[in-house]
Amino acid sequence: MASLQDIALSAFINILSAFVFFVAFAILRLQPFNDRVYFPKWHLKGIRSSPRHSGKSVTKFVNLDWRTYLRFLNWMPAALRMPEPELIDHAGLDSAVYIRIYLLGLKIFVPLTVLAFGILVPVNWTGDTLEHLDVEFSDIDKLSISNIAKESKRLWAHLVMAYIFTFWIYYTLYKEYKIIAAMRLHFLASENRRPDQFTVLVRNIPPDPDESVSEHVEHFFSVNHHDHYLTHQVVYNANNLAKLVDRRNNLQNWLVYYENKNTRNPDKRPRTKTGFLGLWGETVDAIDYYTAEIEKLLKEEATERERLVIDPKAIMPAAFVSFRSRWGAAVCAQTQQSSNPTLWLSEWAPEPRDVYWSNLAIPFVELTMRRLIMAVAFFFLTFFFMIPIAFVQSLANIEGIEKVAPFLKPLIEKEVVSSFIKGFLSGIALKIFMIFLPTILMTMSKIEGYVSISALERKSAAKYHLFILVNVFLANVIAGAAFEQLNTFVNKETPNKYPVIVGTAIPAKATFFITYIMLDGWAGVASEILRLKPLIIYHLRNTFLVKTEQDREQAMDPGSLDFASSEPRIQLYFLLGLVYSVVTPIFLPFIVVFFSLSYVVFRHQIINVYDQEYESGAAFWPDVHRRLVIAMIISQLTLMGLMSTKDPKHATPVLIALPILTIWFHKYCKSRFEPAFVKFPLQDAVVKDTLERATDPNLNLRSYLQDAYVHPVFHSKDTEQPVAIDEEENNPLVPTKRNSNRSTPGGSKYGSEVGSETEY
């Protein structure tokens, strides 16, 4: 069990690590040859030019102005200087609202810390219960509720503070939800024209024996949305073509590499082997080999592209349907299109850069089965992962390591080594386990078939949050605490004292999470700003693959906010802070430091580095709010369980109202604010359409939307475009090739023997 000395050693290691990261960043970011690594966003916007274009030969690469090194922390106030409206214009609403999650953490936990240290810490410290119990404890545990005697009047301080904390969090969450809902509506009303404002994704289009998918879509929407339908783009299964394009791009990189190599040493032609990664196979001229391979792939691409255009099986029963107005798109996206609720399923189309094209090729009928299989797989992943988590917990105490490796006993019993193991090793072991998890969960979400990157990230975040809840929190708190006190359970205490021991051990587990917060939340956040991996990759690309300034632009990797993994980790800190706010108040300053440091670091990254892949208008906030409410309920139930071992007569009746009130609060906020995140008000759509017609009466919307939802692999090639009904069409009858004189939108079983074209 970690003591104050162990925590102090861990704090020293992580503070030193964070300081080293900041100093390294301060030095590296000032060097001109790193400018595209640490300020890529400004380069992408065309506002910042490379310092290497000017100056003497040395200063093109190295900053020789020693005065700039003295202000190595000036990036912190600079990150806080940009106002929020300007930040939204610069980085988008998603990024600005993501930063507000950290700000919300400060709004919640700074007042809680002040109150807890003013009231609860003195109350806990002056108790003497632990000294009279035969359990393991440290000085930190004396600052927790474990040090309060059973049925003591001091417990009323904790009960009252639990209600004060809860109502403060209600107020903060409500105000934040209200602010962000207003920000979203204002953003949607004021943002520039985008294709997704006029477009709906329609899936599960029923087959028609007489019409192609494109003709069927045109006929259906010309009939049912006659005054508003404009055009559509059918969805091609272009996954094979995309793979060919990726392979060609990879070979093109190798060709550029060998051409650069040949330029540096023209007397010696570069050679390579034809096997895997050039490790084996026949030795050939590298430039000729890759040139020939690229030509082969270009021919395969042309063949595959022609097949996609003429093969009906390559067209999926889905289409992007565009309308003449935002109002028309909103009506279609938010209503049922057919009497059969499983056909003609409509939803708002993601913006073009948000579309995950590979999953559009998945037949809609497969989605339910895919998601069922992934749900079962996720269940087993979550609960079988407890095995390595239990092993991590065995490393958190010296006795566990001595059992696994008895030959290390003389070493680990040394004071410095023992403190390192208790205060640092257990946290880093858990961190390593968690590194590989986001990739696994994202792969599972892709298999489930979600068609936008934003949806993939939100679904992956939901899985990651549940996984962290079960394996990081519940497994470590409950199983870990029980394992630590196992000897006391078995040998020393009578059964009627078991609940008291469990109630004491659970808050004692706070020391493990303190070490984890310092590692992941202090040093981990500080390492984010250094961008070591993008730095190395950029210079490798710049050395071997860059020939022109355009190549250098492409070598930049600005990255983006990884919502799928970062937001659930933030939720873990919210959960830990809420659970231990009343139980172990000494925990709270570590949480405040995390949110403060993260707010500054990620604000800097959003301003200078990250380039978001998409813009969802903060559609993720209802998920953030819901997970915070879940954290509140867990903290309240945990406190009820703990207090039942302390004062069951008074605690349970007093605390039972808290989770009930929290559920009611969530339902109220959901009904009050969530519609702004899932629906687009028709009133706002009409206002925006009217303003656009007044300010841009000559807008050719058909031309604007023509190529917006064409698969990226077709952008550089001519492709067959669907023909839409002309805007000047006055004929109320819609021409169709269907061999039926019924006006039903779906295929009819009553076929006509006459195959001529009919009109409706």
Side-chain angles (χ1 to χ4, degrees):
M1 186 175 295
S3 64
L4 278 175
Q5 181 181 357
D6 303 330
I7 297 298
L9 177 62
S10 179
F12 173 77
I13 293 174
N14 287 287
I15 291 173
L16 180 62
S17 300
F19 182 77
V20 169
F21 288 139
F22 286 145
V23 172
F25 165 70
I27 295 173
L28 291 173
R29 79 184 182 95
L30 294 175
Q31 310 313 314
F33 64 91
N34 290 329
D35 204 65
R36 294 179 185 272
V37 177
Y38 294 110
F39 302 97
K41 191 159 196 168
W42 299 102
H43 284 276
L44 292 173
K45 287 177 173 287
I47 299 174
R48 191 181 183 102
S49 59
S50 177
R52 296 174 62 177
H53 289 308
S54 59
K56 300 178 181 179
S57 57
V58 176
T59 56
K60 287 183 179 181
F61 299 94
V62 180
N63 185 354
L64 299 180
D65 185 359
W66 61 270
R67 290 169 297 182
T68 59
Y69 295 96
L70 299 178
R71 303 186 299 271
F72 72 97
L73 291 179
N74 66 346
W75 61 269
M76 288 187 174
L80 302 175
R81 201 171 294 134
M82 182 179 285
E84 189 171 65
E86 185 179 343
L87 181 64
I88 294 173
D89 292 337
H90 175 68
L93 185 63
D94 281 344
S95 297
V97 170
Y98 178 86
I99 286 297
R100 290 189 68 94
I101 301 177
Y102 296 110
L103 186 60
L104 176 64
L106 292 174
K107 290 179 179 179
I108 290 175
F109 288 111
V110 169
L112 264 58
T113 303
V114 173
L115 288 173
F117 270 71
I119 298 174
L120 294 181
V121 169
V123 170
N124 293 339
W125 179 256
T126 53
D128 59 356
T129 302
L130 289 174
E131 296 177 358
H132 298 90
L133 287 177
D134 190 12
V135 296
E136 298 180 31
F137 69 93
S138 67
D139 292 337
I140 290 179
D141 300 325
K142 293 175 67 175
L143 296 171
S144 74
I145 197 174
S146 300
N147 204 31
I148 304 299
K150 185 177 181 180
E151 298 184 356
S152 170
K153 292 183 178 179
R154 293 169 179 257
L155 293 173
W156 280 102
H158 299 81
L159 297 177
V160 172
M161 294 306 294
Y163 270 87
I164 293 175
F165 288 179
T166 297
F167 283 106
W168 169 251
I169 297 169
Y170 287 165
Y171 171 78
T172 308
L173 289 181
Y174 177 85
K175 293 288 289 184
E176 194 69 15
Y177 213 153
K178 183 178 181 180
I179 291 171
I180 292 175
M183 289 172 63
R184 172 179 167 84
L185 291 175
H186 180 266
F187 176 80
L188 294 177
S190 60
E191 69 175 337
N192 295 328
R193 184 191 310 118
R194 294 194 328 193
D196 54 296
Q197 298 170 351
F198 301 89
T199 306
V200 170
L201 174 60
V202 180
R203 307 183 73 183
N204 213 25
I205 299 169
D208 190 284
D210 303 305
E211 293 181 326
S212 67
V213 173
S214 182
E215 293 166 342
H216 199 187
V217 170
E218 182 177 328
H219 172 247
F220 180 88
F221 284 95
S222 296
V223 169
N224 296 288
H225 296 267
H226 180 72
D227 295 328
H228 304 284
Y229 165 71
L230 179 62
T231 186
H232 71 274
Q233 174 61 56
V234 295
V235 174
Y236 292 92
N237 183 356
N239 289 350
N240 290 335
L241 179 58
K243 292 178 182 177
L244 291 173
V245 172
D246 289 340
R247 284 176 54 194
R248 176 170 55 82
N249 291 335
N250 183 50
L251 293 178
Q252 186 67 41
N253 287 336
W254 281 108
L255 177 61
V256 171
Y257 165 71
Y258 284 114
E259 287 177 341
N260 288 347
K261 191 174 182 181
N262 185 60
T263 302
R264 296 187 186 100
N265 187 9
D267 297 331
K268 184 179 180 181
R269 292 277 289 185
R271 301 182 68 80
T272 187
K273 294 182 179 180
T274 58
F276 178 71
L277 293 178
L279 299 177
W280 57 74
E282 181 184 358
T283 302
V284 296
D285 183 282
I287 295 177
D288 293 341
Y289 171 73
Y290 283 107
T291 301
E293 290 296 312
I294 290 172
E295 289 178 355
K296 290 180 184 178
L297 283 177
L298 285 172
K299 293 178 181 178
E300 292 182 34
E301 287 179 33
T303 302
E304 178 67 13
R305 188 174 284 108
E306 291 175 4
R307 184 192 68 81
L308 290 176
V309 174
I310 64 176
D311 185 4
K313 295 182 180 179
I315 300 178
M316 304 304 297
F320 291 98
V321 181
S322 298
F323 295 82
R324 302 179 193 275
S325 64
R326 296 171 181 83
W327 186 91
V331 170
C332 181
Q334 297 167 183
T335 56
Q336 182 174 312
Q337 303 304 307
S338 171
S339 57
N340 185 340
T342 64
L343 301 176
W344 298 99
L345 302 177
S346 59
E347 59 183 281
W348 279 108
E351 65 165 319
R353 59 180 178 163
D354 189 22
V355 177
Y356 189 70
W357 294 96
S358 298
N359 280 359
L360 282 173
I362 299 174
F364 188 83
V365 294
E366 291 184 12
L367 295 181
T368 301
M369 185 57 64
R370 282 170 170 259
R371 291 170 188 176
L372 176 61
I373 293 172
M374 287 301 101
V376 174
F378 178 68
F379 172 84
F380 283 103
L381 174 66
T382 301
F383 288 94
F384 279 96
F385 203 84
M386 286 186 178
I387 297 174
I389 290 293
F391 177 72
V392 169
Q393 280 303 312
S394 71
L395 294 178
N397 60 82
I398 299 299
E399 293 77 11
I401 297 179
E402 289 178 349
K403 291 178 182 178
V404 175
F407 59 89
L408 294 176
K409 184 175 180 180
L411 176 64
I412 62 180
E413 287 186 348
K414 293 182 178 180
E415 187 174 351
V416 175
V417 177
S418 174
S419 297
F420 175 81
I421 292 173
K422 292 178 180 179
F424 188 76
L425 184 60
S426 59
I428 199 170
L430 181 60
K431 175 70 174 177
I432 291 172
F433 275 125
M434 302 301 291
I435 286 175
F436 303 100
L437 185 63
T439 302
I440 298 173
L441 297 180
M442 178 58 75
T443 301
M444 295 175 70
S445 296
K446 290 178 179 178
I447 294 174
E448 288 177 326
Y450 297 101
V451 297
S452 66
I453 299 172
S454 56
L456 287 172
E457 292 202 339
R458 290 199 296 271
K459 296 301 179 181
S460 297
K463 294 183 181 69
Y464 198 14
H465 174 255
L466 181 58
F467 185 94
I468 288 176
L469 185 61
V470 173
N471 283 291
V472 178
F473 177 71
L474 294 179
N476 280 288
V477 170
I478 298 175
F483 287 154
E484 283 194 3
Q485 302 295 340
L486 185 60
N487 184 58
T488 307
F489 266 91
V490 174
N491 298 320
K492 298 183 180 181
E493 295 292 350
T494 56
N496 63 347
K497 291 191 176 181
Y498 287 175
V500 178
I501 297 170
V502 172
T504 304
I506 288 177
K509 203 60 191 170
T511 55
F512 169 79
F513 286 113
I514 289 175
T515 62
Y516 180 75
I517 287 172
M518 288 188 291
L519 174 66
D520 184 68
W522 295 9
V525 170
S527 67
E528 167 66 26
I529 204 167
L530 186 59
R531 306 196 77 224
L532 188 59
K533 180 180 175 182
L535 177 69
I536 295 172
I537 292 176
Y538 170 76
H539 285 298
L540 287 175
R541 289 176 176 174
N542 197 35
T543 302
F544 298 111
L545 299 178
V546 169
K547 294 173 65 177
T548 65
E549 280 300 313
Q550 184 178 1
D551 294 336
R552 188 167 284 109
E553 291 284 346
Q554 295 175 352
M556 288 192 305
D557 180 20
S560 61
L561 288 170
D562 188 4
F563 182 83
S565 60
S566 58
E567 192 271 342
R569 287 202 299 268
I570 302 172
Q571 292 291 345
L572 173 63
Y573 294 113
F574 274 110
L575 174 63
L576 294 175
L578 294 176
V579 166
Y580 286 107
S581 58
V582 176
V583 175
T584 310
I586 193 65
F587 196 96
L588 291 174
F590 297 92
I591 293 288
V592 171
V593 171
F594 162 74
F595 280 111
S596 302
L597 188 61
S598 298
Y599 179 73
V600 176
V601 167
F602 282 99
R603 211 173 196 272
H604 172 275
Q605 298 296 82
I606 284 173
I607 292 172
N608 297 294
V609 181
Y610 296 146
D611 184 45
Q612 280 303 98
E613 295 182 76
Y614 59 85
E615 176 59 60
S616 70
F620 57 81
W621 190 258
D623 296 331
V624 174
H625 180 87
R626 181 174 60 255
R627 288 194 268 270
L628 284 170
V629 169
I630 291 172
M632 289 185 66
I633 294 174
I634 291 173
S635 68
Q636 291 158 1
L637 295 177
T638 303
L639 182 61
M640 285 178 60
L642 177 59
M643 295 296 285
S644 68
T645 68
K646 294 284 189 180
D647 191 1
K649 293 181 180 179
H650 301 97
T652 302
V654 171
L655 293 176
I656 192 65
L658 284 180
I660 298 174
L661 286 173
T662 302
I663 293 172
W664 175 85
F665 169 76
H666 172 62
K667 288 183 175 294
Y668 174 76
C669 289
K670 181 181 177 70
S671 63
R672 173 69 176 82
F673 299 116
E674 191 168 316
F677 294 85
V678 295
K679 296 179 180 179
F680 186 56
L682 295 181
Q683 181 183 21
D684 292 355
V686 170
V687 170
K688 200 164 180 63
D689 289 333
T690 304
L691 288 174
E692 187 169 72
R693 283 193 295 269
T695 57
D696 193 0
N698 298 320
L699 171 65
N700 187 344
L701 191 58
R702 185 191 303 278
S703 176
Y704 173 73
L705 298 171
Q706 183 176 4
D707 297 328
Y709 286 98
V710 174
H711 196 291
V713 297
F714 290 113
H715 279 171
S716 61
K717 300 290 182 179
D718 294 332
T719 183
E720 181 183 355
Q721 298 293 330
V723 180
I725 300 298
D726 291 337
E727 192 170 345
E728 294 80 17
E729 177 67 61
N730 295 317
N731 187 354
L733 302 179
V734 179
T736 176
K737 295 181 179 179
R738 184 178 297 126
N739 291 327
S740 168
N741 55 8
R742 290 165 56 89
S743 59
T744 55
S748 173
K749 65 180 180 179
Y750 301 102
S752 171
E753 294 182 359
V754 181
S756 60
E757 183 178 278
T758 58
E759 290 188 342
Y760 296 94

